Amino acid sequence: MGAEQDRLRSPVWKRWGPYVSDRQWGTVREDYSENGDAWNYSTHDMARSKAYRWGEEGIAGISDDRQLLCFSLAMWNHKDPILKEVLFGLANKEGNHGEDVKELYYYLDNTPTHAYMKMLYKYPQSPFPYVQLKEENARRTREEPEYELFDTGLFDRDAYFDVTVEYAKAGPEDILVRITAHNRGRKSAYLDLLPTLWFRNTWSWEEHAYKPGMGLGAAGIAVVHKDVGVKACYFQEGGEALFCNNETNPHRLFGNDTTEEYFKDGVHEHVVHGLNTVDPRRMGTKAAVRYALYIPGRKSQTIRLRLSPRDLDGGGYDAFADFEDVFAQRIREADEFYADLQQKIQDEDHRRIQRQALAGILWSKQFYYYNVQQWLAGDPTRPQPPSARYAGRNHDWWHLHNDDIISMPDKWEYPWYANWDLAFQCVTLALVDIGFAQHQLELLTKDWYMHPNGKMPAYEWAFNDANPPVYAWATWEVYQMGKESNGGRGDRDFLEGMFQKLLVNFTWWVNRKDTRGNNIFEGGFLGLDNIGVFDRSTVLEDGILEQADSTGWMTLFALTMLRMSIELAHANKRYLDMVSKFFSHFVYMAGAINSSIERGGGGMSSLWDREDRFFYDQVRRFDLSTVRLKVRSMVGLIPLYAVDVLDRRALNQDPEFLRHVDWFLENRPDLLALTTRWAAEAWEDRHLLSLVRDRRLKSVLSRMLDEAEFLGPTGIRSLSKVHENEPFLFSTTDRTFGVRYLPGESDNDMYGGNSNWRGPVWFPVNFMLIRSLQRFHDFYGDRFKVPYPTGATDYRNLGDIAHDLGARLIALFTRDAQGRRPVFGAREKFQTDPHFRDHILFYEYFHGETGEGLGAAHQTGWTALVANLIQMHWSK
C-alpha cells in the first residue's frame, strides 16, 4: 500500500484542500434582494470590493475545512484595469447561451488527500477583453456559438503566460506552494504575482464576534486565529507584503462615506492605481505578497511560499531547506498512487485523460455554507432583508443548515451541489476515495439537508425542484465498488444507513409525485431542462403530465431498494419484508408503464406506444383522456435503466418472498409477465427483472442504436435525429410548441437556456445506459443479439455493444488517427499546440455529430465518469 493510501486512513490529511470556490458572486447565498435576482445583487465587478457572507472565491484557491483561512493567487499583467483575483464570466442573461466562464484554466493533478495538487491558468499579456467578451456575446443570437476568450485571438501569437500553481503538503497543515510563470511569447513581459492570504469574514455579521488578524514578522506573515492550525506564511525574498482587511468598501459599492480604511480592494487599488490603500502598519485580515517580475521571452520564473504550523520565531528556521525534496516526494507518491489505479490501462493517452478527469473532480471540492433560517432572517449587525423573502426562494427549507466540504459539479458554473450531479460524482470519486464518496452520499440524507417530509434538496436556486431519484442507484454502485476493492466485504453499516434514509425519500416520491396513485409518476423537468415540448415543471390547466422518465427512474429506485434489501437480509432477516415490499412496487410500476388497459374516458394507463414501440410522456386530462407527446428523446430510453438480475440461490433462504412471487404468478400473471417470466426463464438459477423484455427491448434498441436516430459517432444523443427534419409540434388553444433536433447549443431559453437536451451527448445518461446493457448481458449473454448499428448485418451481444458505446464516449477526448481530439472541435491551437493539446477540458455535454465540447467547460461533476469508463474499458 502506497503513501497516499496510508494518508487516506487519517482524516487530518484532508484538513486543507481546494475548498475555495471559483465563484461566490452571483450565488443565491449572497443574494439579499427582494426579487431573488442573484446575478445582479452581487456581480463580478463588485467581487473585489465586497466581503462575502457565506463563502470565498479565488484562483487555485485552498483553505482549511472550515474555510477560516484561505489562500489563492492574484495576478496583474500591467495592462489590465483590475487585478486578476477571481475568474471572469458572464451572468445568466449576459451570455447568448446562459452564464459562462470566460477564462482558460485547467486542473491538471490532485490526490485524494490533496497532498499534491496542480492547476494551470493561461493569462494573456494584452489587456483582458472584459468589455469585448460582454458586448460580443450580447450581440450574438442563440443560433450563433458563444464567444470565448480563445476566440479573441489573444493567444494566436503566444503572447500569454502559463501560470502553474502547485501545492505539496509536508504535513497535514504544512503546505508548500510553488508558482511558476512561463512566458510563452517571444518578447519579455511584466507580470506581478500576488499570492494572497486572507480570513473569511466571520466577524461582521454579529456583535462581539471574534476577529482574527495577521501581520508582518521578521521571516514572513504571522497568522493569528484561535481555530486555525497554520501560524505563519513564509515567503522567499523578492516579495513585498501588502495588507488590508477583508471587509466591504462601502464608498465604492454604495457611495457611503466612511472613516475606516484599507478595505478588501486595498491591494487592487494600490497595485493597479498606486493609491495609499494598504495598511502601512502591515497588519490586517488580508495580505498579498507582491512579486514584480520581468520575464524574458520563452523563459519562466518561480516563487515559493510555505503555510506552516510553526510560529514565526525571528530566525533559525529555514522554511525552504526541504522544499524541493518534499515536492519531488509528493509527486512521486502521486505517480505511484495513479500507477496502482491504472495497472491495466495500457494506453498512455487514456491514462492521461483519466488522471486529469480525477484531478478535476478532486479540485472541485468546496466548503459550502448555507444556513437558510439565518439567510432569511438576516444578521444582527446588518439591515433587515426584505420581508418578501419569507415567501420567496427556499422559504420552506428553513431547517437546512449546510456547513460541509461538498463535491461541486463545477466550482464556477455551478458552485453549489446539485442532487443528481452529486450522485454521479460519487461513483467517480469512489475510484480513488471510497470513504469520501460514501460520506457525500450520506450528507444529503442528514436531517439538516433532507426535508422533514423526505424530499432531498435539489440545488440552492430551488431546493424544491425534483432531480431524478438516482441516489439509491449511486449508493448501490459505490457499495459494490467498495465491496470489490475490499475482497468481497461490503460496508454494511453504510448500506443500511443509506437504505433507511432512502426509504423515507422513496415514500416522498410515491406520495408526492404519483398524483393519481396509479404508479405513473410526474416530477417536472427532472434535470433534463428543455427536452420537452414545453417546460415540464409548468402546472397544466387541463391535466397532468405523466412522464416516462420519472416512472423509469422510480422503477429503478424500487428495483435498487429491492437489491439492497436482499443484501441486508443476509445478515438481518428483518429486511426480508422489504424484499417483498419493493418487489411489489417494482411489479406494479412495471405494470403501469407497460399495460394497455383502458381507463375511464378512453385514456390509456400505459406510456408504451404500441404503434411506435417506444415510451413517451403523455398529458392526462382531467376527463381522463390522454394526449401522447411523441417526442423520441432520452425520456423514452430511461426505462431501460430499470433492470437487474437476481440469483435464485440468494432468494431460497426467503420462503416468504418466494410465496409472494407465487401469489403474483397465481393472481396477477399479467403483471409479472411484463417484467419477468419467473417460472420459465430462470437461466442458470438467475431471474431477470426489467421494464422491457425481449420484443420491447429489441424495439427500443432498434431506435437507440440507429445512426439516423439516437446513435451518434461519440455516444447516444439525447434526442432522436429524426426530429431534425421532422420536428414534433404540439398545439394548444393559443399557441404551438415545437421540439427540433439540435446537435449543439440550445436555440431557446427554457430553464435559463444554459443547457441543451435536444440532441447533444450527455455523459450521465449514457453511462447508465451502458451499465444497463451490461446487466442485460449478464443475463442473456450470447442468447440475445441485435444488429449493431441498426440495419447492419453484424449482430452483437449487449455486452459488446456496451463496450463499444463506452469506447465512443472515451473517444471524445482521445486523439484520433489524425491526432485530433473531438472535444476541441475546430480550434487548431487546441489540437496541435504542445501547450494546449494535452490539457483536457471536461465539458457539460457534447455536440451530437462532431463531439465538440459544449456548456460548462469544467463539468467534472459528471463528465468525470469518463474515468470510470476507461477503467471498465481496460478491465474487460
Side-chain angles (χ1 to χ4, degrees):
M1 183 173 291
E4 178 65 10
Q5 289 287 3
D6 285 340
R7 284 191 289 267
L8 274 171
R9 297 176 177 179
S10 176
V12 298
W13 279 94
K14 293 182 184 178
R15 192 168 292 163
W16 276 77
Y19 307 143
V20 176
S21 178
D22 289 343
R23 175 175 64 84
Q24 186 70 11
W25 63 270
T27 61
V28 166
R29 280 154 290 153
E30 303 299 339
D31 175 23
Y32 282 77
S33 67
E34 184 172 7
N35 62 354
D37 187 2
W39 283 107
N40 286 313
Y41 189 81
S42 64
T43 66
H44 176 269
D45 181 63
M46 298 169 66
R48 64 182 178 274
S49 304
K50 180 180 176 62
Y52 292 120
R53 172 64 175 90
W54 298 101
E56 292 292 346
E57 63 193 359
I59 298 173
I62 63 171
S63 75
D64 62 279
D65 57 9
R66 311 306 305 150
Q67 204 180 83
L68 298 173
L69 180 63
C70 306
F71 178 95
S72 72
L73 177 64
M75 294 161 278
W76 188 48
N77 61 10
H78 287 233
K79 295 178 182 177
D80 285 348
I82 59 175
L83 284 186
K84 179 63 68 174
E85 293 181 273
V86 298
L87 297 169
F88 172 72
L90 302 183
N92 185 265
K93 297 301 182 181
E94 293 178 323
N96 61 328
H97 293 286
E99 70 267 24
D100 186 39
V101 66
K102 299 300 182 184
E103 306 270 14
L104 275 175
Y105 59 101
Y106 306 84
Y107 294 119
L108 297 181
D109 212 354
N110 210 325
T111 62
T113 65
H114 315 300
Y116 177 70
M117 300 187 286
K118 183 177 182 180
M119 184 263 197
L120 169 65
Y121 177 81
K122 290 182 177 288
Y123 189 27
Q125 293 170 7
S126 297
F128 196 90
Y130 294 105
V131 175
Q132 182 184 355
L133 287 166
K134 277 191 175 185
E135 291 181 348
E136 178 62 23
N137 278 285
R139 185 193 65 77
R140 293 194 175 194
T141 67
R142 285 199 168 275
E143 286 68 37
E144 296 176 281
E146 293 176 324
Y147 185 64
E148 305 292 1
L149 176 63
F150 184 82
D151 299 326
T152 64
L154 290 180
F155 297 94
D156 290 352
R157 297 184 179 180
D158 296 331
Y160 70 93
F161 298 103
D162 266 345
V163 183
T164 302
V165 183
E166 296 174 278
Y167 298 98
K169 293 182 184 178
E173 296 188 272
D174 189 0
I175 304 158
L176 284 57
V177 186
R178 185 167 65 188
I179 303 170
T180 303
H182 297 265
N183 182 351
R184 298 300 184 197
R186 296 189 304 273
K187 298 180 180 179
S188 299
Y190 290 99
L191 174 66
D192 285 9
L193 295 179
L194 296 102
T196 304
L197 190 69
W198 76 100
F199 295 112
R200 178 167 61 88
N201 190 321
T202 58
W203 56 87
S204 292
W205 324 108
E206 298 181 8
E207 295 178 351
H208 312 299
Y210 170 77
K211 185 175 181 179
M214 57 182 69
L216 185 64
I221 298 171
V223 176
V224 180
H225 195 300
K226 62 184 179 66
D227 297 320
V228 172
V230 169
K231 305 298 183 185
C233 175
Y234 295 90
F235 56 93
Q236 287 188 315
E237 291 184 3
E240 176 192 10
L242 306 172
F243 289 82
C244 58
N245 290 299
N246 184 20
E247 296 187 18
T248 296
N249 183 339
H251 180 73
R252 176 177 181 262
L253 295 185
F254 313 117
N256 297 342
D257 292 333
T258 176
T259 58
E260 298 181 26
E261 298 178 287
Y262 317 127
F263 299 108
K264 179 181 177 180
D265 53 13
V267 173
H268 155 77
E269 295 289 349
H270 176 76
V271 171
V272 177
H273 301 297
L275 301 180
N276 296 323
T277 50
V278 293
D279 195 328
R281 298 170 299 174
R282 297 184 178 180
M283 57 187 295
T285 53
K286 175 182 176 181
V289 183
R290 181 185 187 183
Y291 287 87
L293 308 179
Y294 185 65
I295 308 176
R298 310 291 197 224
K299 301 295 182 180
S300 67
Q301 292 188 33
T302 298
I303 64 172
R304 298 169 178 83
L305 305 93
R306 186 170 193 156
L307 304 179
S308 173
R310 295 177 61 112
D311 288 305
L312 291 177
D313 57 11
Y317 172 57
D318 186 351
F320 301 98
D322 62 346
F323 194 93
E324 296 302 329
D325 289 340
V326 171
F327 258 101
Q329 182 178 347
R330 293 295 177 259
I331 292 172
R332 184 170 58 252
E333 291 165 354
D335 290 342
E336 291 171 353
F337 176 81
Y338 283 106
D340 182 62
L341 175 70
Q342 299 177 332
Q343 289 180 55
K344 296 182 179 180
I345 302 174
Q346 298 175 20
D347 184 272
E348 180 184 355
D349 205 25
H350 282 197
R351 291 195 295 270
R352 179 186 299 111
I353 293 163
Q354 185 189 56
R355 186 160 173 174
Q356 288 186 35
L358 292 167
I361 203 168
L362 290 169
W363 265 99
S364 294
K365 294 180 184 180
Q366 178 182 317
F367 173 75
Y368 186 86
Y369 182 34
Y370 191 16
N371 179 337
V372 172
Q373 185 176 20
Q374 182 72 57
W375 179 77
L376 290 171
D379 297 299
T381 64
R382 297 291 153 178
Q384 198 75 6
S387 59
R389 288 162 63 82
Y390 282 103
R393 176 179 288 131
N394 297 332
H395 70 275
D396 50 353
W397 284 77
W398 54 267
H399 72 285
L400 188 137
H401 186 165
N402 299 167
D403 189 3
D404 295 284
I405 303 300
I406 309 179
S407 182
M408 300 290 123
D410 174 333
K411 289 200 299 186
W412 193 96
E413 192 90 19
Y414 307 110
W416 29 262
Y417 64 86
N419 185 312
W420 76 311
D421 298 58
L422 186 56
F424 292 112
Q425 289 161 243
C426 291
V427 174
T428 297
L429 286 164
L431 284 173
V432 291
D433 190 351
I434 196 77
F436 184 73
Q438 291 178 348
H439 170 70
Q440 293 292 283
L441 288 168
E442 290 169 333
L443 266 186
L444 264 65
T445 70
K446 299 297 185 184
D447 298 344
W448 47 96
Y449 284 79
M450 182 183 280
H451 198 281
N453 63 21
K455 169 102 174 63
M456 285 188 183
Y459 40 80
E460 67 177 33
W461 287 92
F463 285 128
N464 269 333
D465 268 351
N467 278 179
V470 292
Y471 253 63
W473 171 85
T475 297
W476 183 247
E477 287 280 319
V478 170
Y479 173 78
Q480 289 290 92
M481 292 170 74
K483 189 175 182 180
E484 182 179 347
S485 65
N486 196 34
R489 295 186 300 278
D491 187 343
R492 289 181 181 274
D493 289 341
F494 160 72
L495 187 66
E496 186 168 16
M498 287 297 296
F499 181 89
Q500 300 294 343
K501 292 299 184 72
L502 289 167
L503 184 60
V504 177
N505 184 239
F506 182 88
T507 304
W508 179 86
W509 275 92
V510 169
N511 290 336
R512 298 296 183 94
K513 294 300 181 182
D514 178 12
T515 303
R516 291 177 48 80
N518 62 355
N519 290 298
I520 297 291
F521 290 82
E522 307 101 51
F525 82 108
L526 284 180
L528 307 185
D529 295 13
N530 62 4
I531 204 166
V533 184
F534 44 78
D535 182 344
R536 297 197 302 165
S537 293
T538 300
V539 177
L540 303 180
E541 294 181 1
D542 60 347
I544 298 167
L545 181 66
E546 298 182 330
Q547 298 177 220
D549 58 334
S550 185
T551 307
W553 289 119
M554 279 303 294
T555 312
L556 171 65
F557 197 166
L559 190 54
T560 309
M561 294 294 278
L562 167 62
R563 205 73 181 84
M564 291 184 193
S565 302
I566 294 171
E567 182 80 3
L568 292 169
H570 294 328
N572 187 343
K573 301 302 180 186
R574 290 186 178 275
Y575 282 97
L576 293 176
D577 284 344
M578 293 290 102
V579 177
S580 297
K581 169 184 170 61
F582 284 105
F583 182 79
S584 296
H585 276 293
F586 170 73
V587 171
Y588 285 122
M589 290 175 186
I593 195 174
N594 281 293
S595 174
S596 58
I597 298 174
E598 292 190 4
R599 305 298 185 189
M604 310 294 285
S605 68
S606 173
L607 300 179
W608 174 257
D609 189 89
R610 286 186 291 178
E611 179 182 2
D612 290 356
R613 301 194 64 76
F614 198 72
F615 291 102
Y616 296 120
D617 287 351
Q618 66 185 15
V619 176
R620 179 173 296 281
R621 291 177 171 149
F622 294 130
D623 64 3
L624 299 186
S625 64
T626 57
V627 178
R628 191 151 282 166
L629 304 177
K630 291 192 174 185
V631 182
R632 288 211 285 277
S633 72
M634 187 59 64
V635 164
L637 300 181
I638 284 172
L640 293 179
Y641 297 162
V643 56
D644 208 345
V645 179
L646 301 185
D647 189 332
R648 185 177 182 87
R649 289 165 295 187
L651 298 173
N652 284 337
Q653 62 179 310
D654 184 8
E656 183 61 33
F657 171 68
L658 294 177
R659 283 194 292 271
H660 194 62
V661 176
D662 289 340
W663 184 92
F664 272 100
L665 286 169
E666 182 176 349
N667 294 281
R668 294 303 307 271
D670 57 319
L671 293 181
L672 205 60
L674 291 169
T675 61
T676 179
R677 296 187 184 93
W678 192 270
E681 199 184 53
W683 181 259
E684 295 181 348
D685 287 327
R686 291 180 298 165
H687 297 281
L688 177 71
L689 299 183
S690 170
L691 275 184
V692 287
R693 301 203 49 76
D694 303 355
R695 290 178 60 192
R696 291 190 178 183
L697 176 59
K698 287 182 178 179
S699 296
V700 175
L701 290 178
S702 70
R703 296 197 184 280
M704 187 180 97
L705 304 178
D706 188 342
E707 292 175 317
E709 289 219 33
F710 288 99
L711 182 61
T714 54
I716 301 299
R717 307 175 180 110
S718 50
L719 188 73
S720 171
K721 194 176 180 180
V722 73
H723 291 304
E724 184 173 36
N725 298 318
E726 300 174 18
F728 176 79
L729 301 177
F730 177 74
S731 298
T732 64
T733 55
D734 60 344
R735 62 178 299 188
T736 298
F737 300 90
V739 175
R740 180 171 62 90
Y741 172 75
L742 298 167
E745 296 283 16
S746 174
D747 65 355
N748 70 85
D749 62 356
M750 188 184 295
Y751 253 85
N754 61 343
S755 65
N756 185 19
W757 285 86
R758 297 187 172 186
V761 171
W762 290 75
F763 253 79
V765 288
N766 268 261
F767 183 81
M768 292 191 72
L769 284 171
I770 290 169
R771 296 295 284 149
S772 296
L773 292 178
Q774 290 170 338
R775 296 303 287 151
F776 278 116
H777 179 255
D778 287 344
F779 181 78
Y780 285 118
D782 283 337
R783 294 179 297 123
F784 189 101
K785 294 184 177 182
V786 295
Y788 183 71
T790 298
T793 57
D794 181 24
Y795 278 64
R796 307 276 292 275
N797 69 48
L798 300 186
D800 288 342
I801 293 173
H803 185 76
D804 182 75
L805 289 178
R808 291 181 185 226
L809 289 162
I810 295 169
L812 283 163
F813 304 101
T814 56
R815 294 200 191 107
D816 61 17
Q818 289 72 46
R820 304 177 71 83
R821 302 184 193 274
V823 63
F824 290 154
R827 293 187 171 95
E828 197 62 30
K829 197 173 188 69
F830 279 27
Q831 298 285 9
T832 59
D833 191 303
H835 301 303
F836 282 85
R837 66 188 182 196
D838 287 334
H839 299 323
I840 311 300
L841 290 171
F842 298 90
Y843 287 86
E844 190 175 6
Y845 48 97
F846 302 85
H847 194 283
E849 304 303 321
T850 67
E852 180 181 359
L854 301 168
H858 302 83
Q859 232 284 14
T860 44
W862 55 31
T863 301
L865 285 165
V866 68
N868 300 73
L869 291 174
I870 289 171
Q871 203 73 9
M872 290 158 48
H873 181 88
W874 289 97
S875 298
K876 188 173 184 291

